[in-house]
Every structure is written in structure tokens, then in C-alpha cells.
Amino acid sequence: GAIAEALAGAVEPWPASGRLKRVDCAGDWSSWRIREVVDLPTEGLVVGVPSMSKIGRHLASQCKGLTMHVDRTALVRGQDPASGQWEVEWKREAANHGQLRYRPELADVPAEVGRGDFDAVVLAFEANKVLRGCKSGYKMVQPSATPALRTRISGKTRTSQMWNLMVAFDVELPMPWDAAFIEGHRSLAWVAVNSSKPQRARVPQCFMVFSTREWADWKQWGKREVEKDLLAEFLDFLQRVVGQRPPKPCFVLSGRWGNNTEAVLTGERPVGEFPARALSLRPG
């Protein structure tokens, strides 16, 4: 279709046919087992190559008169009282050795520092940041909801948090799938072998792990706690999947994902854990 034509050259199919699974687990926190592994359809699923930012750059290149800066950290410095325009700065530092090891495609992304004046700035954030702002991180921003917008969305849109964990090994493990939705596990909701994506380095073998909301809500987790406790849950799961004890990871990094949708203006409730709910997938 038209979307496929517009994205030609920027995406490739992933996961491969037969390599997307639903792993059904049974048990509780202290004792659990893998009950069943089910194939899921992959038709129409794609990923950006060599990275997801390629999609934005590719689409922007087809829009005449549009200048787009992606993979950049931007800062809105303020508004010129005379012209009414907003001054924005953006930059990207050169990739360091560690980043290049896990994302070799960054070698072709030049360092850049730039600025520009704009008539308007649109901040595409989650509803909670629009209402309350964000005090830290690259999404640091003041509340931006107008009174009418605040009245419309306050109390009607809700988000929740989960944790993600990036894990890498210096050797390639014999994974029987590329990505899997995990059902019935108290801690894990999603495991993907990022290194299985097209045009990614196979080694180090990199994984992306998402926690369940139940695990994330169990306590107020710190990053180091997540990198210890959720990692232990993942390594135990991985051992059961591949039938051997995984080696010690060469890289572990956790991050809090705070934009899980819990309720929208229509009142519709999400189904399942993230990322299934973002894809509107239904069990079965």
C-alpha cells in the first residue's frame, strides 16, 4: 500500500516468520514454569533499519520544504518578545566507544550543534507531562495545558510506569525466537533479541526486557535495584528458554518507562501489558 511505498528502504520485516512467540507461564513469585509457547503472526510487522530513527529521516526527505532534526537533544531557550518567535537549540555529541560497540550505525551520524527560530513549538508528551510538567531528564518541561485542555483531560487520562532493562552478552545464545510476549509471569512482560533485527550487530547479543506493571508497582524501585533484581528474573527465564545457564552479561542498563496508557478520553481501557497494548493486540 501507500505506507509501504513511503517506507521502502527505511524498514525491513521483523521478527521473521515463526520467530514471534507468546510464552505462557504458570505459577507464582517463588515457583513458576513455562507452560506453552505459541506462534504469533508477523505479517506486516517491520522495524527501522539500521535504527528506528531512519523512519523519521526517510519520511522527512520526501517532504519538500521540511527540515527535520532527529536523534538530537533539543532545548527551548525562550521567546523573543519582539518577534514572538521561539529560540531552540539542539545538539548531538559524537558517539563514544561504548555506544559504538552496541550501536555501530552511530559511526555515520555526525556530531552537530545548531539553533533556529520558530513561530511555534509543539511538545509531544504524555498527558501527565502536559498537565504537570517534567522536572528531570531530556523531557524536562513546564506544564503546558491551557485551562480548557486541562479541564478536558484532567482525571480522564492516566498513565502508569514499567521498567525496561537492556542486557548484552559477549557471546550469541541459541535463542529459539526473536521476540516474545510473556503471559502469566509476575515480573516479565516482553523479551526481544534486539540483535536479531536487520542490520544490527549480532554480537554483542543485545536484549530488551520489559517488566510487568505488577512488578513495577510492587515498590519504589531504584535503578540499581532493577539492574540486580529484574536482571535475576530475566536470567532465570533465559536459562529455561535456552536450556543452559547464561553467561555473565557484559552490559546492563535499566530505565523507567512512564508512559503506559491506562485510560484515554474515550474511557477505553487498554488490554494486556506493554508493548502489546500499544499494538492493540488481543490474546489468542
Side-chain angles (χ1 to χ4, degrees):
I3 295 179
E5 291 180 8
L7 293 176
V11 299
E12 291 185 19
W14 183 85
S17 178
R19 300 284 293 179
L20 176 62
K21 308 291 185 179
R22 189 186 76 233
V23 179
D24 292 334
C25 303
D28 54 27
W29 291 100
S30 59
S31 177
W32 66 275
R33 61 185 175 84
I34 295 177
R35 183 177 59 190
E36 185 181 21
V37 179
V38 179
D39 278 345
L40 295 179
T42 60
E43 184 179 358
L45 299 182
V46 297
V47 66
V49 291
S51 65
M52 291 301 290
S53 63
K54 177 62 180 294
I55 296 176
R57 286 195 291 267
H58 183 77
L59 292 176
S61 68
Q62 301 176 40
C63 300
K64 294 182 179 180
L66 175 66
T67 301
M68 189 171 184
H69 302 274
V70 295
D71 276 343
R72 302 292 182 268
T73 299
L75 173 65
V76 180
R77 299 199 60 85
Q79 187 176 28
D80 187 326
S83 66
Q85 289 190 313
W86 296 88
E87 180 185 0
V88 180
E89 289 185 353
W90 59 88
K91 66 177 180 178
R92 171 152 197 141
E93 307 289 351
N96 59 39
H97 176 74
Q99 290 171 324
L100 289 174
R101 185 181 184 192
Y102 298 103
R103 293 187 61 193
E105 72 274 9
L106 294 180
D108 298 325
V109 179
E112 177 189 352
V113 177
R115 65 164 301 280
D117 296 318
F118 300 87
D119 295 327
V121 176
V122 178
L123 304 176
F125 293 152
E126 308 91 282
N128 58 337
K129 289 185 174 63
V130 173
L131 285 172
R132 299 190 297 270
C134 183
K135 297 180 180 180
S136 63
Y138 69 95
K139 288 187 177 181
M140 187 182 301
V141 68
Q142 295 295 318
S144 57
T146 64
L149 186 59
R150 180 178 296 275
T151 300
R152 184 180 180 191
I153 66 178
S154 183
K156 299 177 183 178
T157 61
R158 292 191 299 276
T159 59
S160 63
Q161 74 168 11
M162 43 77 71
W163 283 88
N164 63 68
L165 191 67
M166 293 180 284
V167 184
F169 301 97
D170 278 328
V171 297
E172 186 174 2
L173 299 176
M175 292 298 296
W177 37 258
D178 294 337
F181 296 97
I182 316 301
E183 298 283 347
H185 195 285
R186 307 298 292 272
S187 306
L188 306 177
W190 165 262
V191 176
V193 188
N194 275 6
S195 297
S196 70
K197 295 176 180 178
Q199 300 186 33
R200 267 67 161 187
R202 301 290 296 187
V203 177
Q205 189 180 36
C206 302
F207 290 78
M208 174 61 78
V209 181
F210 288 162
S211 78
T212 60
R213 181 185 173 186
E214 180 183 17
W215 188 89
D217 288 346
W218 184 56
K219 58 174 286 186
Q220 188 68 36
W221 295 96
K223 282 178 61 65
R224 291 193 176 183
E225 287 182 302
V226 174
E227 290 166 4
K228 176 184 176 183
D229 292 6
L230 191 58
L231 175 65
E233 296 279 357
F234 169 61
L235 293 179
D236 179 39
F237 175 81
L238 197 58
Q239 180 170 346
R240 303 187 192 208
V241 169
V242 300
Q244 64 186 61
R245 184 176 181 179
K248 181 179 179 180
C250 61
F251 178 86
V252 178
L253 181 66
S254 67
R256 187 172 59 188
W257 198 305
N259 61 351
N260 272 329
T261 300
E262 290 299 322
V264 295
L265 290 177
T266 63
E268 183 178 358
R269 302 289 296 182
V271 176
E273 296 279 355
F274 192 86
R277 61 175 55 183
L279 298 173
S280 298
L281 292 180
R282 298 294 187 268

